[in-house]
Amino acid sequence: MAMAINQGQAEILVFGFQELVELDNTSVTAKSMFHSKRKKEKEGAVVTSSHISHQYKAWQDKLDEFVGSNLSERYRLVHSNNMVGLFTCVFMKESECNRVRDIKSSAIKTGLGGLHGNKGGLAVRMVVDDSSLCFVNCHLAAGQSGVLQRNSDIETILETKFSDASDNTNFTSKGIFVNGGDGTKIMDHEICFFFGDMNYRINRHRQVAIKAIEENAFDQLLEYDQLGLQLKKNPGLRLRAFSEKPITFAPTYKFDVGSDRYDSSDKKRVPAWCDRIFYRGGLKVVPASYYSFSVRASDHRPVTGVYSVQLKTIDPGKRKEVYKDSLLRWKEYLAV
């Protein structure tokens, strides 16, 4: 996912991975349940984990190399975090890094009733100029019949508080957070992105779905997309506060690894749009593109989006004058 604050090359690049390690590897998943976490800083990047395994480190180094060699401007890794199979890396233009502060992250486990990190979310928030941004990389409950659990996972992730957020009081009543929040929760932030393997499926028989895909009849198939149905019919779905650019690409799950063929195993799963990007920020966020592309190293196809985001800078002196003027007019109104 790329985010452009100004016109031109994106100022912020966000990479979110799911199932970066095999989730059926019992030695890995057991460690994730019992190991404590510690924080460290390296070359300006915030890294939160019990350790960076060789696999995570290899991905991080490869991303760093790719960003450095394929883009005309220099970028710096400003955040990296992992939890079992989830992995998030955030890069920012070096020329813009002086605008970012107060980067905080949180790992939310939703597997096994919140005990296991095989499912859940990684949230990172930052303040750029005087606007607050939050990026949530998620992996929700799997299975054709897991709609209610996926809905619950979203609620759990969005309600979880950031740890070590006591200094949020420095930003309170300064127009940086929204809805009366103090930045402790994800929804307190002015601009939010919620993305990843959401695992919502399509309520159609496999052959019907395959035929629709072959005919590029995506609109017909989207009518049976579980997430789309929940957004329309479930007023309690927390993701209704977010938006998604219309889907114009084929379902991203499930492929035979190394091919463009949908699941030919004995399970013969129905193709689905499991991988999605949602955003919240009103008119401040304008999606420019949203598409998937063929990378055959996984049973999923990666999805990317480019977004233009409007940020703000507050003049504290003028804001104080306006605030005093508002109080004065309110007192005059009450005195009438």
Side-chain angles (χ1 to χ4, degrees):
M1 181 175 67
M3 192 180 74
I5 299 171
N6 302 305
Q7 292 184 349
Q9 196 164 285
E11 278 80 3
I12 300 176
L13 303 174
V14 182
F15 296 90
F17 298 87
Q18 305 82 41
E19 294 189 78
L20 204 59
V21 298
E22 293 293 337
L23 297 185
D24 57 359
N25 184 327
T26 55
S27 65
V28 172
T29 53
K31 287 178 182 178
S32 73
M33 294 177 67
F34 299 114
H35 276 195
S36 61
K37 295 181 177 180
R38 67 176 181 267
K39 296 182 179 179
K40 64 180 180 179
E41 294 186 5
K42 182 179 180 181
E43 296 179 356
V46 178
V47 183
T48 308
S49 178
S50 57
H51 65 286
I52 289 188
S53 70
H54 293 300
Q55 195 164 357
Y56 291 125
K57 186 65 166 59
W59 273 97
Q60 181 174 302
D61 291 345
K62 191 64 178 178
L63 287 172
D64 203 2
E65 176 188 345
F66 177 84
V67 169
S69 61
N70 289 276
L71 299 176
S72 59
E73 297 196 44
R74 292 178 60 86
Y75 284 78
R76 182 188 302 170
L77 177 69
V78 296
H79 173 79
S80 175
N81 196 6
N82 66 79
M83 180 182 72
V84 190
L86 282 169
F87 185 49
T88 300
C89 281
V90 182
F91 292 85
M92 192 167 187
K93 280 184 181 179
E94 281 197 350
S95 59
E96 305 290 341
C97 284
N98 62 321
R99 300 170 62 183
V100 64
R101 64 190 190 279
D102 202 62
I103 300 176
K104 297 188 183 301
S105 64
S106 182
I108 307 107
K109 299 177 181 179
T110 60
L112 293 180
L115 296 174
H116 198 348
N118 65 320
K119 295 292 188 291
L122 291 175
V124 55
R125 87 96 186 275
M126 60 185 67
V127 177
V128 182
D129 295 338
D130 291 314
S131 293
S132 54
L133 297 88
C134 188
F135 303 95
V136 184
N137 174 17
C138 73
H139 191 187
L140 307 184
Q144 188 76 25
S145 61
V147 173
L148 294 180
Q149 184 57 55
R150 289 189 275 276
N151 294 351
S152 177
D153 287 351
I154 292 172
E155 181 174 4
T156 299
I157 292 169
L158 292 179
E159 285 297 320
T160 300
K161 294 183 178 181
F162 283 92
S163 58
D164 301 325
S166 58
D167 58 348
N168 281 352
T169 53
N170 296 331
F171 303 107
T172 304
S173 301
K174 293 187 177 180
I176 291 175
F177 301 118
V178 295
N179 301 325
D182 62 357
T184 302
K185 294 184 178 180
I186 290 168
M187 298 297 280
D188 293 343
H189 297 82
E190 191 173 4
I191 295 164
C192 299
F193 288 88
F194 194 99
F195 57 93
D197 182 0
M198 300 189 189
N199 253 323
Y200 286 92
R201 309 303 172 89
I202 294 174
N203 294 332
R204 296 295 274 170
H205 291 296
R206 174 184 165 83
Q207 290 306 317
V208 174
I210 293 290
K211 186 174 185 296
I213 294 168
E214 290 174 346
E215 296 174 351
N216 288 326
F218 301 147
D219 288 345
Q220 295 177 19
L221 207 52
L222 282 165
E223 294 178 8
Y224 300 91
D225 169 54
Q226 290 178 346
L227 182 50
L229 292 170
Q230 288 295 302
L231 290 167
K232 290 178 182 177
K233 299 180 178 180
N234 184 355
L237 182 69
R238 297 298 300 275
L239 212 57
R240 293 187 73 180
F242 291 72
S243 300
E244 181 185 28
K245 185 174 173 62
I247 291 175
T248 58
F249 49 85
T252 58
Y253 172 89
K254 171 180 170 69
F255 290 88
D256 293 340
V257 176
S259 78
D260 293 322
R261 182 177 58 249
Y262 284 104
D263 186 22
S264 64
S265 70
D266 292 340
K267 293 185 177 180
K268 286 186 166 48
R269 296 173 182 85
V270 180
W273 284 284
C274 289
D275 311 282
R276 317 281 279 264
I277 302 174
F278 280 73
Y279 60 91
R280 193 200 67 153
L283 298 177
K284 298 182 184 71
V285 182
V286 179
S289 64
Y290 188 37
Y291 59 94
S292 177
F293 47 93
S294 293
V295 175
R296 301 177 181 87
S298 168
D299 57 349
H300 289 252
R301 290 292 185 263
V303 171
T304 186
V306 178
Y307 303 84
S308 178
V309 176
Q310 182 182 37
L311 303 183
K312 66 181 186 299
T313 301
I314 298 172
D315 184 321
K318 290 183 179 179
R319 188 178 188 279
K320 187 175 182 180
E321 290 177 10
V322 172
Y323 180 70
K324 287 183 177 180
D325 181 61
S326 297
L327 286 179
L328 179 60
R329 286 188 290 121
W330 176 246
K331 289 180 180 179
E332 291 174 347
Y333 172 79
L334 293 178
V336 175

